[in-house]
């Protein structure tokens, strides 16, 4: 019997965050914290990220690295 009260990660709609964050746990934590767009994500400092439930130093570092890589003009992707 499937519970309809909780959303599984596979049920989450694609978001802007998919461009930068590939880890479903990280995306779920950010979405629960109200971070829905890349602009919102870019406005967060490492300290801000560490205050989000489920995000520790390793994940925060990964997010910041992904942001830097995505923002890099040499990555060949459109913003």
């Amino acid at each position: 019997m499937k519970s309809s009260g909780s959303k599984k990660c596979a049920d989450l709609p694609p978001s802007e965050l998919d461009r930068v964050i590939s880890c479903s746990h990280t995306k779920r934590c950010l979405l629960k914290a109200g971070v829905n767009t890349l602009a919102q994500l870019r406005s967060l400092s490492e300290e801000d990220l560490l205050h989000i439930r489920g995000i520790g130093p390793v994940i925060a570092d990964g997010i910041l690295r992904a942001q830097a890589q995505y923002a890099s003009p040499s990555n060949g992707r459109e913003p």
Side-chain angles (χ1 to χ4, degrees):
M1 183 180 247
K2 188 176 176 184
S3 170
S4 62
S6 65
K7 269 194 165 182
K8 292 187 177 181
C9 187
D11 298 333
L12 293 175
S15 73
E16 273 190 336
L17 297 178
D18 293 336
R19 293 182 185 177
V20 177
I21 308 298
S22 60
C23 175
S24 60
H25 168 79
T26 303
K27 280 187 280 194
R28 194 170 40 248
C29 292
L30 291 169
L31 291 171
K32 283 183 179 180
V35 180
N36 300 304
T37 67
L38 293 176
Q40 289 172 325
L41 182 61
R42 286 186 190 117
S43 72
L44 298 176
S45 68
E46 184 173 10
E47 186 176 333
D48 295 331
L49 290 170
L50 292 172
H51 283 93
I52 296 174
R53 182 179 171 96
I55 295 183
V58 173
I59 293 176
D61 184 57
I63 291 170
L64 295 173
R65 286 176 189 248
Q67 285 180 346
Q69 181 180 357
Y70 184 77
S72 165
S74 65
N75 67 10
R77 287 190 256 174
E78 296 282 327

